[in-house]
Amino acid sequence: MTSAVGFTLVQLRYFLVAAERGSMTEASAELRIAQSAVSAAIYNLERDLQVQLFIRRRGRGLTLTPAGERLRQQARDLLARAREVEREARGDGGTISGPVAVGCFVTLAPYYLPPLFSECTRLYPGIEIDVVEAETDQLVHALATGRVDFALTYGLGLSAEADLRSETIARAPAYVIISADHPLAGQGSVELADLSAEPLVLLDLPHSRDYFRSLVAATGTAPDVRYRTQSYEAVRSLVARGLGYSVLNQRPATSQTYGGGEVAELQLRDGGPPLEVKLVSVGGMTQTARARAVMDLLREIAARSAGV
C-alpha cells in the first residue's frame, strides 16, 4: 500500500501562481479566489513540508527561498504529469498539446529550429514551442531555474555540470572557410598550419572562442585573431571579403553570405574530434509527453542531417 502524501495538487498550483506573480494578492486575482485561501494553502504547504518557501516583505511582495526555488521546478513537473494522467484517464491521451520551452544554442538555431517548427506544426499542431536562444552558460542557468524543459546545445562547457543529463544526437566536425577567390579555395581540404600566416576571424562566444583557439594552438602556432564577432553570419561575411579565415562547425546550405560575397569550405585534416550536439535536461526530471515528442523530432532532424 502506498503511503499518504502530506500536500495536495491544489496547494502546489497556488504556490506556483504565487511564485510566478510574486504576490499573494495578484495570485488570488489570477486564480479568482480569496487571498486568504491562497495564503492558507501556502501556509499549510510550508507546514506539511516543514520548510519556508517564501520570504515575505511588507510592500515588497514574495521572494522564493532556495527551498522554494527547488520546489517550483518539482511542482511544475508534477502538475504537468498530473495533467497527462488526467488526459489519459479520460481517453484523450493521444492528443499531445500544450507549451514546451526549448533552449537552443545560438548558432544551432538556424539549422534545427526551422525544420523543428515545420515538423511540429504538421504532426502536433497543439504543441506551442517557446524558444530561448542563448550560449551554453545561459542555457545551463535556464535549465536549473526551470525556464526551459530541455536544451539543444554543444557539449562545450557541460562537463562540470553534474546535475545535467545529456544525450548526443549529432556530431559536427570542424572545417575551414576562406574567401571564394583565395588561392587555396579549390583544394578541398587543408591543415590549419597552412593558414598560420593569415588572420583568424573568430566566432567570439563563451567556450566556442576557447575551442577554436585551441584548434589553432594545437598546430604549434599562435592564432592571429584580427577580427572577432558573436554573429555567425558576420564571421562568414568578413571571410568572404578576404579579411581572414575562420573555423566553424555547422555548414550552411549555400556559400553566399549576407554581405553578398562567397566563401569556400575546406575539410580540416587536423581539426581533432567533432563537436557533439546534445539534448540536455536536468537529471532526474521526468519530461512531459509533449516535451518528449519535441525531443524525438530533434533526434529525427539530426539523423536526417547526418544522412543516417
Side-chain angles (χ1 to χ4, degrees):
M1 180 180 294
T2 58
S3 59
V5 176
F7 58 84
T8 68
L9 295 179
V10 171
Q11 288 175 323
L12 291 182
R13 179 168 175 253
Y14 290 3
F15 160 73
L16 278 179
V17 175
E20 291 166 1
R21 306 299 295 182
S23 163
M24 295 286 188
T25 301
E26 293 187 22
S28 66
E30 180 173 329
L31 293 165
R32 297 184 179 181
I33 60 174
Q35 181 177 333
S36 58
V38 178
S39 300
I42 293 174
Y43 170 80
N44 290 332
L45 181 61
E46 290 178 315
R47 182 196 61 196
D48 294 338
L49 297 178
Q50 298 182 2
V51 295
Q52 182 178 348
L53 300 173
F54 290 110
I55 298 172
R56 299 160 173 83
R57 296 187 178 96
R58 185 178 297 276
R60 296 175 60 184
L62 303 172
T63 302
L64 284 168
T65 64
E69 288 282 4
R70 291 192 296 271
L71 181 63
R72 177 165 60 174
Q73 178 60 56
Q74 294 166 338
R76 286 178 71 248
D77 297 341
L78 184 57
L79 288 173
R81 180 56 185 154
R83 285 190 289 270
E84 289 182 20
V85 170
E86 181 182 32
R87 285 195 298 270
E88 292 174 4
R90 289 176 174 175
D92 56 357
T95 302
I96 301 177
S97 63
V100 177
V102 180
C104 187
F105 192 80
V106 286
T107 60
L108 291 175
Y111 300 94
Y112 283 87
L113 294 187
L116 174 63
F117 277 94
S118 177
E119 288 295 289
C120 194
T121 299
R122 181 175 66 87
L123 296 173
Y124 307 109
I127 291 181
E128 304 164 10
I129 300 178
D130 180 29
V131 177
V132 175
E133 294 182 45
E135 46 83 17
T136 304
D137 292 343
Q138 295 168 326
L139 292 177
V140 169
H141 180 71
L143 285 165
T145 57
R147 187 181 176 194
V148 298
D149 295 297
F150 65 89
L152 176 73
T153 186
Y154 288 116
L156 295 173
L158 293 178
S159 58
E161 303 295 335
D163 294 337
L164 297 181
R165 176 178 56 201
S166 66
E167 169 196 348
T168 300
I169 63 170
R171 289 175 172 82
Y175 69 98
V176 163
I177 57 169
I178 52 179
S179 63
D181 57 0
H182 192 284
L184 299 178
Q187 286 198 183
S189 66
V190 71
E191 292 185 3
L192 283 172
D194 299 331
L195 299 166
S196 60
E198 302 190 26
L200 171 66
V201 181
L202 181 67
L203 180 60
D204 194 19
L205 295 170
H207 302 294
S208 296
R209 68 172 74 99
D210 297 330
Y211 163 73
F212 293 127
R213 283 176 176 273
S214 70
L215 291 180
V216 179
T219 67
T221 62
D224 176 17
V225 181
R226 195 77 56 85
Y227 308 97
R228 61 180 72 222
T229 174
Q230 294 186 343
S231 166
Y232 185 90
E233 187 55 34
V235 167
R236 299 179 73 247
S237 295
L238 288 168
V239 170
R241 287 182 173 270
L243 297 175
Y245 74 98
S246 190
V247 183
L248 298 172
N249 293 86
Q250 295 297 322
R251 293 177 179 261
T254 176
S255 60
Q256 290 281 342
T257 69
Y258 285 1
E262 289 190 36
V263 297
E265 299 177 358
L266 302 177
Q267 291 184 0
L268 193 52
R269 298 195 295 269
D270 54 352
L275 282 185
E276 295 181 332
V277 179
K278 292 178 173 287
L279 289 176
V280 185
S281 58
V282 175
M285 186 181 80
T286 302
Q287 297 287 354
T288 63
R290 56 184 179 273
R292 293 196 300 271
V294 174
M295 294 172 81
D296 284 341
L297 289 178
L298 285 170
R299 293 184 183 100
E300 293 172 7
I301 291 166
R304 287 201 300 268
S305 298
V308 298

